[in-house]
Amino acid sequence: MSTSPQAADRLAQGDLDQGTPDQDTTTPEGDRAKRVLLAKPRGYCAGVDRAVITVEKALETYGPPVYVRKEIVHNKHVVETLQERGVIFVEETDEVPEGALVVFSAHGVAPVVHEEAKARNLRTIDATCPLVTKVHKEVNRFARDDYDILLIGHEGHEEVEGTAGEAPDRVQLVDKPEDVDKVHVRDPNKVVWLSQTTLSVDETMERVDQIKGRFPDLQAPPSDDICYATSNRQVAVKAMAAECELVLVVGSQNSSNSKRLVEVALQAGARDSHLIDYADQIDESWLEGVTTVGVTSGASVPDVLVMQVLDHLSQRGWDGEVEEVTTANEKIQFSLPKELRKDLKENPDAPKGVR
């Protein structure tokens, strides 16, 4: 998809309002002008940025093909772009040729996956988000202390599978409200809840309250499991949603945190909200009767896709200043995986063979 530079130029030059979304936007005639509210923070979080750069550096350092187990992050554009550069995405390690290089995705893997890779003599780079690794360590800690662990998350999600795999005999998944009644614990005084990092904060706490109804002595994780980026993006959407007839969330259907943003927007007062991968997926009927459009993106979405949405709206009458609604400024960065840093340090310029 081609991108016109107008929106990107306005952002780069700082030509955006950064006030609150309740500014007076009426025309002299008293009609409300069309406007766009742009959430900040949005897009790439530190864990996604680290994972994508890891794969890009692996391509540069070792040359293609580079195998990646599962999607490195849940974004269609990112995956397709990396495929074009020589990345081969596989579902399981047994699809990787023996002795080859495989990168583990940002969502993390269970210990059994590491064992499978070792058995096939695979060279591995672990791009698991450090905040997911933190939850893995919490599982191990509470399992060692003989707790029953109730993991709040979505069944089938790669992150949940990796986290539960750290102690499968101690972890029980709680996804839907009815799952709470199915939980069986050995000692109601030794129960702790942990969560997938990309959930809705509000929905997670509802589930925690349900669990506490059964187990009043339920322990909480030592620190928030829902990652800062997921929370920040939800707060930003809440800040603007009530002003919007429509909120467009850029993100893929298999992105948990992106889907949660649609739900949060509707719960926070937006009349309508939709999840899209690309600007050309915007249905013209969504725009009928709309004056204020909110735009945001999930934590695995490159900002170029958001700029395309702004351009699309500009061509349809939303061509005034974009008001950036800022609720936090993120400065967190994570270092690259140690396996990759070692080779970059030893020989930062020359490609290396991996077999």
Side-chain angles (χ1 to χ4, degrees):
M1 298 176 63
S2 61
T3 308
S4 63
Q6 289 86 349
D9 287 346
R10 282 184 287 159
L11 280 176
Q13 296 167 9
D15 188 19
L16 288 173
D17 285 347
Q18 295 203 20
T20 57
D22 58 355
Q23 294 175 348
D24 182 9
T25 58
T26 56
T27 64
E29 293 76 17
D31 295 327
R32 286 184 66 82
K34 289 183 175 181
R35 61 178 182 156
V36 174
L37 303 182
L38 180 62
K40 181 181 178 182
R42 64 183 179 275
Y44 271 11
C45 64
V48 165
D49 195 42
R50 172 182 185 263
V52 174
I53 292 174
T54 293
V55 177
E56 292 174 338
K57 290 293 185 183
L59 283 169
E60 294 171 7
T61 304
Y62 310 120
V66 169
Y67 291 86
V68 177
R69 184 184 181 276
K70 308 290 186 181
E71 294 185 354
I72 185 65
V73 296
H74 285 161
N75 183 263
K76 182 179 180 181
H77 174 80
V78 171
V79 168
E80 291 178 349
T81 300
L82 290 174
Q83 283 176 322
E84 292 171 359
R85 295 182 57 186
V87 173
I88 299 174
F89 292 94
V90 298
E91 286 299 304
E92 301 298 343
T93 51
D94 62 9
E95 300 174 53
V96 182
E98 289 198 19
L101 172 69
V102 62
V103 179
F104 295 141
S105 79
H107 306 106
V109 297
V112 66
V113 176
H114 287 280
E115 294 167 6
E116 291 168 353
K118 185 176 181 180
R120 293 181 59 78
N121 195 32
L122 300 181
R123 182 174 182 181
T124 61
I125 298 177
D126 191 351
T128 301
C129 173
L131 299 181
V132 174
T133 300
K134 164 187 165 291
V135 183
H136 284 216
K137 291 180 178 178
E138 289 172 353
V139 170
N140 286 315
R141 169 192 161 186
F142 285 107
R144 282 196 305 269
D145 292 339
D146 205 28
Y147 275 76
D148 282 305
I149 302 164
L150 306 185
L151 177 61
I152 302 172
H154 295 304
E155 186 172 6
H157 193 282
E158 287 110 282
E159 182 187 330
V160 166
E161 292 176 348
T163 301
E166 291 287 346
D169 57 336
R170 290 288 181 266
V171 176
Q172 296 177 65
L173 180 63
V174 177
D175 186 347
K176 301 176 176 61
E178 55 267 28
D179 293 337
V180 175
D181 295 330
K182 301 174 185 176
V183 169
H184 296 285
V185 303
R186 296 162 298 151
D187 182 351
N189 297 313
K190 296 196 71 171
V191 185
V192 63
W193 70 269
L194 303 175
S195 80
Q196 182 180 332
T197 63
T198 55
L199 300 182
S200 159
V201 177
D202 295 338
E203 185 179 351
T204 299
M205 296 317 298
E206 287 177 10
R207 203 70 72 246
V208 170
D209 289 340
Q210 285 181 285
I211 298 171
K212 280 185 177 178
R214 286 199 61 195
F215 309 109
D217 293 329
L218 179 72
Q219 290 200 33
S223 60
D224 287 341
D225 283 347
I226 297 176
C227 84
Y228 77 94
T230 297
S231 299
N232 286 350
R233 280 147 191 73
Q234 292 175 16
V235 169
V237 167
K238 288 179 182 179
M240 70 182 187
E243 298 289 324
C244 303
E245 291 100 337
L246 171 66
V247 173
L248 296 172
V249 179
V250 185
S252 294
Q253 288 293 333
N254 62 342
S255 168
S256 176
N257 77 88
S258 298
K259 292 174 75 173
R260 300 294 81 75
L261 290 174
V262 173
E263 297 169 1
V264 169
L266 294 171
Q267 292 165 357
R271 190 180 73 192
D272 193 15
S273 183
H274 295 276
L275 181 65
I276 56 173
D277 270 297
Y278 300 108
D280 60 12
Q281 293 174 345
I282 297 173
D283 191 317
E284 296 300 316
S285 66
W286 300 345
L287 302 175
E288 293 176 4
V290 170
T291 56
T292 302
V293 180
V295 178
T296 189
S297 58
S300 51
V301 178
D303 218 35
V304 62
L305 301 182
V306 175
M307 297 304 103
Q308 291 172 357
V309 169
L310 297 183
D311 290 340
H312 185 95
L313 292 171
S314 177
Q315 294 164 13
R316 285 156 180 79
W318 284 266
D319 51 2
E321 289 185 337
V322 176
E323 301 171 36
E324 196 164 53
V325 180
T326 303
T327 55
N329 288 301
E330 296 176 350
K331 298 180 180 179
I332 294 176
Q333 292 183 320
F334 296 133
S335 59
L336 293 175
K338 61 181 182 298
E339 306 96 332
L340 182 59
R341 291 202 310 270
K342 179 178 180 294
D343 282 349
L344 291 174
K345 183 178 180 180
E346 288 178 353
N347 195 350
D349 299 317
K352 292 176 178 284
V354 297
R355 303 187 192 183

